[in-house]
Amino acid sequence: MGFRKASKRSDQPAWGLLKRPRPGETIIQSLLFFAASISIFTTFGIVASLGIEAFTFFKKVSLVEFLTDTVWQPAIERFGILPLLSATLVTSFWAMLLALPLGLVVAIYLSEYAPRKIRNFLKPVLELLAGIPTVVYGYFALNTVTPLIRNLFGQQRVDVYNTLSAGLVMGILILPLIASMCEDALSSVPRSLKEGAYAMGANKLEVSLTVVVPAAFSGIAAAFILGLSRAVGETMIVAMAAGAGPNLTLNPFKSAETMTGHIVRISGGDLSYDSMDYQSLFAIALVLFIVTLGLNMLSSRIVRRFREVYE
Amino acid sequence: MSSTLPAAGRLDSRLEERRRKSGRWKIVFLTCTIVSIFFLAALLAGIVNQAFGYVLVQTEIDPVSLVSHGGSLEGQDIQDLNLILQENLSRRLYRKLDAESPLANRSKTELLTIIDTEILKPHVVATWSLFESVFFKNAVIESAGRDYMGGSLQFRSWVSGSLLANSQSSDPLRSGIRGAILGSLLTIFFTILIALPLGVAAAVWLEEYAKDNRFNRMIRTNIYNLAGVPSIIYGMLGLALFVRAMAPLTSGATFGVQAEGSSLDGRTVISASLSLAILVLPIIIINAQEAMRAVPQGLRHSSLALGATRWQTVWHHVLPASADRILTGAVLAISRALGETAPLVVVGASTFLSMDPSGPFSKFTTLPIQIYQWSARPQQEFRNLAAGAIIVLLILLLSLNASVILMRNKYSDKKAASQ
């Protein structure tokens, strides 16, 4: 950047004028630096606050027991994260099953097919969908989608709270994210690739599916991973619609509590500090943090590599 | 690729097939896109469906029986209403109300309200959705008459003036979101007060001062990573740090302004604001960075060339030139914070709060929290209330987003005019 170069030159002044000390500038500069480092403090704060409480928790419950026990019942001192983890995976699975194909197809339509007018209308609509608070989606899952599923599959077979409804609505929540990320990936495929394929006589579908989508594959993968991370960390929908009680099941018609749902339910009640309940929440949150951070970093790494290929 | 082309006839037939396939898939793509849009419509329709509709209200005493010589309750004059009160209220309650303010001098609406709350005590027996109320009106009326003994069937909009004006109450007919809206506004106010200066300062550092070294690159990556952390994790951070570790500060005890009746407890507005501020900080920083990056270098160079210091350049030229876009980022942050629920539940929003929040150290509830709590109730009428509250929330968010679009348009107009 030109500005940086200019300032670098001024660091080595040819005459004494620039050497005049400016304490005000220095103070301001250190304040700005402090503001920027708050983000580092935040990360440390998250790691430390989760780590400290989780550490005292793991002194009482071994890590092996935490990761392998199939029962989560704080009342009888059984802390196995598997039921919570499985519910998170089941809801995320249904969310991705809905969001990935639909999101990809919407992205293909928007970037390759849609006339400019339609695209200019649809993109803000998708953004609008992304801006709706998750508590509204939770309400929608509980009051609209669940009754629908129960009517379709039978009141007896489907619980009032079930992971299917929460998962599908979560898919609707994630769909705009995946669609817009995929659209970015698809539209950054170089024109020359597409034009080459057209010149060979390929039609629009063949260009889209055999040239553009494979070329943008890593971007699509990144969108998928980021969407998964969002699904794992999503809270209100599962807290409202998936159920309030840990339950180790893969059946989407049964109620089961996810990691995030459990944190919200327990912390929303009367919670005394230094209790096992309190500490166990931080252990769950630590798992959640590690999983989502890992997914996010993976996604951004893929995006970066993808950019390098074409730039 | 084979060097020989297939016979012309085969080529044509394949071409035909490829065209058909292409056409079929185009329809599939379009359908899927329409389905996605349909989800948005379904979401909104599902909420509107719950927010309006018939309710069957029963009263403890039939209002007609109160009036001795016929006519409706509203048709009575003040003296008659007073007489009704005298006859139907217990002596103690009547005296108590009279002592508060003489009943004979009260206005008619006031008297009607007292009759409503103390004598009639209306309560909801059943509610119907808008869909049922419009398309199966007769079935609703029939069912109301058959399944429930008496009561009056009325069409009710759960979004109403009383929803906005009333505080939370256990009676769904009189419960409202005033406390929740005030709580939301108060929380957001402090959130932005904390996050906007910090975020802009951080962005100024990163864009205008930071050298391209390891540490600054780490800050940048870190900000992007923080933007992807699930919001509930910020709630946990807030719980451990602001609510618990900093309890003397966040409960106001240190400043001697602890809200009345609250124990030493950091579950206050300011804890919520601090947690939300940390949550929206990456959004503000990233948007402000982009805003400053869009300021032409020439502006900086001319300022520096005239002898301005770095800070003078930033303060007088870079920040004013990017102010609209920074504000856009702030509004996006506000709308994010306005809809956040999970971190606030974790930080400890109050489950029932009939009083308005009074300041940074009072207990709090917010609009999304209120929606969450009402939705969790088993009674249908509270879910209707939640739908009403959702509509209010969506209108708030929509107007915020509209202001962003307006700001953007104004900005691009100005830019176009200056070019």
Side-chain angles (χ1 to χ4, degrees):
Chain A
M1 259 197 258
F3 174 56
R4 293 239 166 78
K5 253 184 222 157
S7 66
K8 224 171 235 167
R9 230 171 280 145
S10 69
D11 285 344
Q12 302 137 10
W15 64 95
L17 189 67
L18 280 172
K19 285 231 167 179
R20 204 169 79 197
R22 293 187 182 275
E25 290 278 315
T26 321
I27 292 169
I28 286 171
Q29 198 164 332
S30 40
L31 284 178
L32 294 176
F33 177 70
F34 169 74
S37 31
I38 280 185
S39 78
I40 303 275
F41 293 147
T42 306
T43 311
F44 275 126
I46 290 175
V47 173
S49 61
L50 297 184
I52 290 169
E53 296 290 346
F55 183 71
T56 42
F57 173 79
F58 285 127
K59 272 198 287 198
K60 293 171 211 155
V61 180
S62 79
L63 192 60
V64 178
E65 192 193 328
F66 180 68
L67 292 177
T68 53
D69 195 353
T70 54
V71 177
W72 181 281
Q73 263 186 27
I76 55 164
E77 304 253 311
R78 295 278 297 274
F79 293 96
I81 201 171
L82 282 181
L84 302 176
L85 199 62
S86 79
T88 296
L89 290 180
V90 171
T91 48
S92 305
F93 169 78
W94 289 101
M96 297 318 285
L97 198 69
L98 178 85
L100 185 69
L102 267 185
L104 183 56
V105 165
V106 170
I108 293 176
Y109 179 76
L110 283 182
S111 80
E112 306 299 320
Y113 284 83
R116 182 180 292 270
K117 253 189 187 166
I118 292 186
R119 184 162 50 186
N120 287 350
F121 167 73
L122 283 184
K123 281 201 99 174
V125 169
L126 286 177
E127 273 173 35
L128 201 70
L129 202 59
I132 294 175
T134 53
V135 68
V136 178
Y137 284 91
Y139 184 90
F140 176 64
L142 191 59
N143 290 297
T144 309
V145 177
T146 299
L148 205 69
I149 294 176
R150 292 191 80 198
N151 285 337
L152 271 177
F153 296 99
Q155 308 274 343
Q156 301 301 316
R157 275 177 68 195
V158 187
D159 289 354
V160 177
Y161 299 100
N162 60 76
T163 43
L164 180 63
S165 155
L168 291 180
V169 173
M170 207 147 80
I172 301 179
L173 171 79
I174 299 167
L175 199 152
L177 173 86
I178 292 195
S180 81
M181 269 189 84
C182 286
E183 211 262 338
D184 287 345
L186 292 175
S187 49
S188 64
V189 169
R191 257 184 103 86
S192 55
L193 273 182
K194 285 194 256 179
E195 278 164 1
Y198 278 124
M200 301 287 285
N203 60 30
K204 212 165 215 179
L205 177 77
E206 288 156 351
V207 170
S208 306
L209 292 188
T210 59
V211 175
V212 181
V213 170
F217 184 74
S218 49
I220 293 166
F224 177 71
I225 294 168
L226 199 69
L228 186 64
S229 151
R230 191 63 65 82
V232 169
E234 170 44 43
T235 310
M236 289 325 288
I237 298 174
V238 287
M240 289 166 84
N247 183 9
L248 186 63
T249 174
L250 296 180
N251 184 346
F253 294 145
K254 293 279 168 241
S255 91
E257 195 168 47
T258 67
M259 298 195 283
T260 50
H262 185 74
I263 295 177
V264 161
R265 180 169 65 91
I266 300 299
S267 61
D270 276 330
L271 189 64
S272 60
Y273 306 141
D274 295 319
S275 65
M276 277 293 264
D277 275 358
Y278 179 79
Q279 288 155 0
S280 71
L281 294 189
F282 284 86
I284 300 172
L286 189 63
V287 173
L288 192 66
F289 179 66
I290 292 170
V291 170
T292 51
L293 190 69
L295 288 173
N296 290 347
M297 284 165 104
L298 187 66
S299 166
S300 62
R301 178 157 297 182
I302 293 175
V303 167
R304 217 175 306 142
R305 188 176 296 167
F306 164 72
R307 271 203 197 126
E308 279 161 13
V309 173
Y310 292 119
E311 274 174 11
Chain B
M1 282 258 159
S2 69
S3 54
T4 49
L5 284 169
R10 265 190 68 204
L11 199 66
D12 280 350
S13 73
R14 279 211 54 206
L15 198 64
E16 195 53 39
E17 193 201 312
R18 280 169 59 204
R19 260 191 211 132
R20 246 183 284 132
K21 194 178 164 196
S22 181
R24 272 202 304 273
W25 275 93
K26 190 180 174 180
I27 292 171
V28 170
F29 289 156
L30 188 62
T31 317
C32 283
T33 311
I34 291 171
V35 165
S36 307
I37 301 299
F38 167 77
F39 286 144
L40 175 67
L43 182 72
L44 296 178
I47 284 150
V48 170
N49 191 27
Q50 300 280 340
F52 305 92
Y54 276 114
V55 288
L56 187 65
V57 178
Q58 282 180 355
T59 48
E60 302 262 294
I61 299 169
D62 189 4
V64 182
S65 72
L66 289 176
V67 187
S68 46
H69 40 268
S72 72
L73 207 54
E74 283 78 15
Q76 308 298 307
D77 57 23
I78 291 181
Q79 279 164 351
D80 287 334
L81 288 175
N82 256 316
L83 216 64
I84 292 172
L85 279 174
Q86 221 160 13
E87 278 165 12
N88 291 284
L89 284 180
S90 71
R91 213 160 272 275
R92 241 182 83 214
L93 190 60
Y94 185 82
R95 245 179 285 143
K96 193 181 146 223
L97 286 170
D98 203 41
E100 278 170 16
S101 155
L103 284 169
N105 299 344
R106 296 204 191 186
S107 73
K108 191 173 163 188
T109 38
E110 250 180 300
L111 291 176
L112 281 172
T113 316
I114 294 174
I115 292 179
D116 202 44
T117 51
E118 299 297 342
I119 304 171
L120 296 177
K121 294 181 183 161
H123 53 270
V124 177
V125 201
T127 75
W128 287 270
S129 66
L130 181 63
F131 184 74
E132 290 166 323
S133 305
V134 173
F135 294 102
F136 302 102
K137 193 175 169 183
N138 292 332
V140 169
I141 293 169
E142 197 179 300
S143 148
R146 190 184 57 231
D147 302 341
Y148 306 97
M149 294 297 288
S152 69
L153 191 67
Q154 41 190 269
F155 190 85
R156 184 179 170 92
S157 154
W158 292 90
V159 197
S160 60
S162 75
L163 179 78
L164 293 174
N166 289 354
S167 300
Q168 197 177 356
S169 130
S170 55
D171 173 7
L173 286 177
R174 254 189 297 280
S175 201
I177 52 174
R178 190 179 68 184
I181 289 184
L182 289 175
S184 272
L185 293 180
L186 201 61
T187 312
I188 302 291
F189 172 73
F190 287 111
T191 301
I192 287 302
L193 203 65
I194 298 160
L196 188 60
L198 275 181
V200 174
V204 168
W205 167 264
L206 290 173
E207 281 305 304
E208 308 289 330
Y209 286 85
K211 297 193 177 74
D212 191 26
N213 60 25
R214 231 187 132 95
F215 186 71
N216 292 319
R217 271 203 301 275
M218 193 170 90
I219 294 183
R220 281 196 187 103
T221 338
N222 192 38
I223 288 169
Y224 277 94
N225 281 334
L226 280 180
V229 170
S231 59
I232 193 167
I233 300 285
Y234 288 98
M236 299 300 282
L237 174 68
L239 177 63
L241 190 63
F242 304 129
V243 175
R244 203 178 162 200
M246 288 163 64
L249 285 176
T250 49
S251 65
T254 313
F255 313 104
V257 285
Q258 201 168 351
E260 243 175 87
S262 79
S263 53
L264 184 68
D265 190 348
R267 295 166 185 267
T268 52
V269 168
I270 195 73
S271 293
S273 297
L274 284 165
S275 310
L276 285 181
I278 290 187
L279 190 147
V280 297
L281 206 52
I283 303 175
I284 294 183
I285 296 178
I286 291 170
N287 276 296
Q289 270 184 289
E290 273 166 17
M292 285 176 214
R293 225 172 282 154
V295 174
Q297 286 295 333
L299 206 62
R300 294 186 182 88
H301 289 169
S302 6
S303 167
L304 289 170
L306 286 173
T309 64
R310 264 185 181 189
W311 175 247
Q312 284 167 341
T313 307
V314 168
W315 184 252
H316 293 289
H317 302 285
V318 179
L319 283 180
S322 54
D324 338 37
R325 288 198 182 190
I326 292 176
L327 275 183
T328 308
V331 176
L332 285 177
I334 291 176
S335 54
R336 170 83 192 269
L338 192 58
E340 272 308 337
T341 321
L344 296 184
V345 175
V346 175
V347 166
S350 300
T351 40
F352 189 88
L353 208 61
S354 55
M355 285 197 312
D356 294 342
S358 54
F361 302 113
S362 68
K363 293 179 174 178
F364 73 100
T365 185
T366 65
L367 199 44
I369 299 268
Q370 185 75 77
I371 292 166
Y372 170 52
Q373 280 157 359
W374 274 338
S375 314
R377 298 249 196 141
Q379 299 98 320
Q380 182 58 41
E381 51 269 29
F382 280 104
R383 298 193 174 185
N384 294 132
L385 264 179
I390 285 176
I391 290 183
V392 174
L393 178 64
L394 289 183
I395 289 174
L396 272 177
L397 284 172
L398 205 66
S399 42
L400 274 176
N401 282 322
S403 74
V404 167
I405 294 168
L406 282 180
M407 262 198 278
R408 246 185 229 162
N409 289 350
K410 203 177 149 197
Y411 173 76
S412 52
D413 282 354
K414 231 199 302 181
K415 219 174 153 194
S418 69
Q419 271 168 0

